[in-house]
Amino acid sequence: MNAVVIQLRPPTSDCGVRRRETACSGCGARAFSVCAGLPDADLSRLDALAETVRFAPGEVLVREGDPATRLFNLTAGTVRVFKLLPDGRRQIVGFLFAGDFLGLATEATYAFSAEAIEPTVACRFNRAAYQDLIDDSPALGRALLERARHELAAAQNQMLLLGRKTAQERIASFLLDLAERDPMRAHAPNALHLPMTRADMADYLGLTIETVSRTLTRLKTSGAIRMTSLSDLVVSDPRRLRDIAEGL
Amino acid sequence: MNAVVIQLRPPTSDCGVRRRETACSGCGARAFSVCAGLPDADLSRLDALAETVRFAPGEVLVREGDPATRLFNLTAGTVRVFKLLPDGRRQIVGFLFAGDFLGLATEATYAFSAEAIEPTVACRFNRAAYQDLIDDSPALGRALLERARHELAAAQNQMLLLGRKTAQERIASFLLDLAERDPMRAHAPNALHLPMTRADMADYLGLTIETVSRTLTRLKTSGAIRMTSLSDLVVSDPRRLRDIAEGL
DNA sequence: CGCAGCCTTGACCATTATCAACGCTGGTGG
DNA sequence: CCACCAGCGTTGATAATGGTCAAGGCTGCG
């Protein structure tokens, strides 16, 4: 698995900064990469700041409460970003994939933790240096603001999901969202890979493992989706799934 | 009521842009005002773009799905920002007060609706012109990015609340958050005004009106809070309320 | 081949939603 | 000035969605 990832994305001298707009060799561009469209001068300065780091599944990228000294740009893999309550209840606030930026919501200390789910490669930046570069590169500042807008809109959608949708609507919405972001989607339009466990999905959707499992079974039985393995599925009836997601 | 508001915040020739850092005459500064600390030159250019507008309770500032042509800076009042599902279920994604900015999460079209709760005064900007000004004023861009970071962190907290907290924890968290943002807090540390209805609270917290009401009664009975009217309360035991909010 | 971890399914339970009745309050008009 | 009404809030009884507890099955790896 790890070997495959490395095959798809060989270590790059520029830490992936220049390549960030494609998520996977041979498949289409990712729409919201922070660095897509930046002038070469800015890219070079980013390159100079970046250091490539690798994380095995379960490894910690940042820990809630720690001083926020680093930012990351993912070039491969999957990361879960989450918050914990004192008694251990966990809310995953997002999954990050290749091309995504980790640390936008950051102020003096990290307000979330982040762990690799799959073998992950990232460009790591010193936050202070990155901040200097933002202050100095209007294009980068603009790109980050644009990304922040997008993340904020996504967060609002997730609040709607968590506050007002049923279990079935949540799962359907999640699968559709994932289908839109999945770097593999260009290869097979309705095929979808789930890199995370049922527990991760549950903690992202405000449900329990059991409810996630039952609901997937129900969607399967109703013919909206078909599981090709525990972590792969085909959306056999996208229209229906979309209707379910919107509560229709 | 309206008269009182106008007394506290007379219409200003500069649309409130320069005054945005104080929420109410005589009380302390608000921490996260977008324009606080901007150079005078930028403030003047903002002034030139701004137009003062007033909204009565229930009036619409922006409607989900409309082309996003306007941004707002609130100088007085309270606004609810929300998203709807086709069947009418509503999720309030935030309440805005004096000093808050409306439109950060906006891309081509509004992804949310916004309505005044109380009589509200705002500076209205043309979005394209505002965008030009951002591109041209590093300080403004930085301030907006800072604000976006803060909003994103708040959104993640709300996801934790909606996905993993019990009804009682949600209400306690909500009251504490509100206490922190309430422009009146400088006047009486533990007094708190609720400008929104129970239905608004319910739609913000992913609960029903009845559960909000019952839970407030329970907090009241337990001695953590004391209601001085339907929309005013005193946090009589802040420590306890904090513990409840964190699930302790 | 066996084991550990993850997933599924079932039975039962609890929190919160729903439905319903009633009370308070503030505004209006007789 | 008082009575009425509409809208909002509270409380109670009941229901349902999703959670909890428990058992067993799959799967992938050593």
Side-chain angles (χ1 to χ4, degrees):
Chain A
M1 184 63 195
N2 203 333
V4 171
V5 169
I6 286 169
Q7 264 190 304
L8 287 173
R9 276 187 219 72
T12 59
S13 62
D14 62 12
C15 290
V17 167
R18 293 166 191 283
R19 292 199 175 86
R20 199 159 306 119
E21 56 224 289
T22 55
C24 148
S25 63
C27 81
R30 286 181 47 79
F32 286 98
S33 183
V34 167
C35 301
L38 285 188
D40 269 1
D42 290 346
L43 287 176
S44 304
R45 296 168 71 186
L46 277 175
D47 285 349
L49 291 179
E51 191 179 347
T52 299
V53 284
R54 294 185 153 62
F55 300 93
E59 272 193 277
V60 172
L61 283 83
V62 313
R63 201 183 303 273
E64 186 172 354
D66 283 357
T69 56
R70 291 166 164 173
L71 305 174
F72 299 85
N73 231 315
L74 304 194
T75 53
T78 310
V79 167
R80 63 177 161 245
V81 179
F82 59 94
K83 293 173 73 80
L84 294 173
L85 286 172
D87 64 1
R89 279 175 285 173
R90 183 178 72 159
Q91 178 66 36
I92 293 182
V93 299
F95 295 107
L96 301 181
F97 304 101
D100 287 334
F101 189 82
L102 172 62
L104 253 190
T106 300
E107 303 185 87
T109 60
Y110 296 116
F112 49 78
S113 302
E115 293 171 356
I117 289 178
E118 296 180 300
T120 292
V121 186
C123 302
R124 191 174 66 194
F125 302 94
N126 174 280
R127 179 157 159 270
Y130 199 90
Q131 185 60 48
D132 289 346
L133 187 49
I134 295 172
D135 289 345
D136 200 80
S137 157
L140 182 56
R142 232 173 290 143
L144 280 173
L145 189 54
E146 190 48 47
R147 168 65 72 110
R149 276 192 230 286
H150 190 69
E151 298 258 316
L152 216 35
Q156 292 176 351
N157 273 325
Q158 192 68 0
M159 289 187 225
L160 176 62
L161 180 150
L162 292 169
R164 288 297 179 226
K165 290 189 181 180
T166 65
Q168 206 183 20
E169 291 160 7
R170 292 180 201 202
I171 297 280
S173 303
F174 172 65
L175 295 178
L176 290 167
D177 283 358
L178 210 56
E180 232 165 80
R181 302 181 62 196
D182 189 325
M184 287 299 166
R185 76 175 183 288
H187 294 311
N190 291 319
L192 189 52
H193 178 65
L194 305 173
M196 67 293 289
T197 65
R198 300 293 187 264
D200 287 335
M201 291 189 239
D203 285 350
Y204 182 58
L205 299 174
L207 300 170
T208 59
I209 301 176
E210 294 91 331
T211 300
V212 169
S213 181
R214 278 188 252 271
T215 306
L216 281 172
T217 301
R218 196 170 150 209
L219 288 174
K220 216 162 47 187
T221 307
S222 81
I225 63 172
R226 195 158 45 78
M227 304 286 308
T228 53
S229 84
L230 268 182
S231 53
D232 290 275
L233 58 84
V234 175
V235 179
S236 27
D237 192 342
R239 172 66 174 277
R240 173 121 55 105
L241 203 60
R242 209 156 291 129
D243 284 351
I244 291 172
E246 292 301 308
L248 298 175
Chain B
M1 185 63 196
N2 204 333
V4 171
V5 169
I6 285 170
Q7 264 188 302
L8 286 173
R9 278 188 217 72
T12 59
S13 62
D14 61 12
C15 291
V17 167
R18 290 165 195 281
R19 291 201 174 85
R20 198 159 307 118
E21 57 225 287
T22 55
C24 147
S25 62
C27 82
R30 286 182 46 80
F32 286 100
S33 182
V34 168
C35 300
L38 284 188
D40 269 0
D42 290 346
L43 287 177
S44 304
R45 295 169 72 186
L46 276 175
D47 284 350
L49 291 180
E51 190 179 349
T52 299
V53 283
R54 292 183 156 64
F55 300 93
E59 272 192 279
V60 172
L61 283 82
V62 313
R63 201 182 302 275
E64 186 172 352
D66 283 357
T69 56
R70 292 166 163 172
L71 305 173
F72 299 85
N73 231 316
L74 303 194
T75 53
T78 310
V79 167
R80 64 178 160 245
V81 179
F82 60 94
K83 294 174 71 81
L84 294 173
L85 287 171
D87 65 1
R89 277 174 287 175
R90 183 178 73 158
Q91 178 66 36
I92 293 182
V93 299
F95 295 106
L96 302 181
F97 304 101
D100 288 334
F101 188 81
L102 171 63
L104 253 189
T106 300
E107 302 186 86
T109 59
Y110 296 116
F112 50 77
S113 302
E115 292 171 355
I117 289 178
E118 296 180 300
T120 292
V121 186
C123 303
R124 191 174 65 194
F125 301 94
N126 174 280
R127 180 159 159 268
Y130 199 91
Q131 185 60 50
D132 288 347
L133 187 48
I134 295 172
D135 290 346
D136 199 80
S137 156
L140 181 56
R142 233 173 289 142
L144 280 173
L145 189 54
E146 192 47 47
R147 170 66 72 108
R149 275 192 231 287
H150 190 68
E151 298 259 313
L152 216 36
Q156 291 176 352
N157 273 324
Q158 193 67 0
M159 288 188 227
L160 175 62
L161 180 150
L162 291 169
R164 289 295 177 230
K165 290 189 181 178
T166 65
Q168 206 184 20
E169 291 160 7
R170 292 180 201 202
I171 297 280
S173 304
F174 172 65
L175 294 179
L176 290 167
D177 283 358
L178 209 55
E180 233 165 81
R181 303 181 61 199
D182 190 325
M184 288 298 164
R185 76 174 180 290
H187 294 310
N190 289 320
L192 189 54
H193 178 66
L194 305 173
M196 68 292 289
T197 64
R198 301 291 188 263
D200 287 334
M201 291 189 238
D203 285 349
Y204 182 58
L205 300 174
L207 300 170
T208 58
I209 301 175
E210 293 92 332
T211 299
V212 169
S213 181
R214 277 187 251 271
T215 307
L216 281 173
T217 301
R218 196 170 150 207
L219 288 174
K220 215 162 46 186
T221 307
S222 82
I225 63 171
R226 195 159 45 78
M227 304 285 309
T228 52
S229 84
L230 269 180
S231 52
D232 289 275
L233 58 85
V234 175
V235 179
S236 28
D237 191 342
R239 173 64 174 277
R240 174 122 53 105
L241 203 59
R242 210 156 290 129
D243 284 350
I244 291 172
E246 292 301 310
L248 296 175

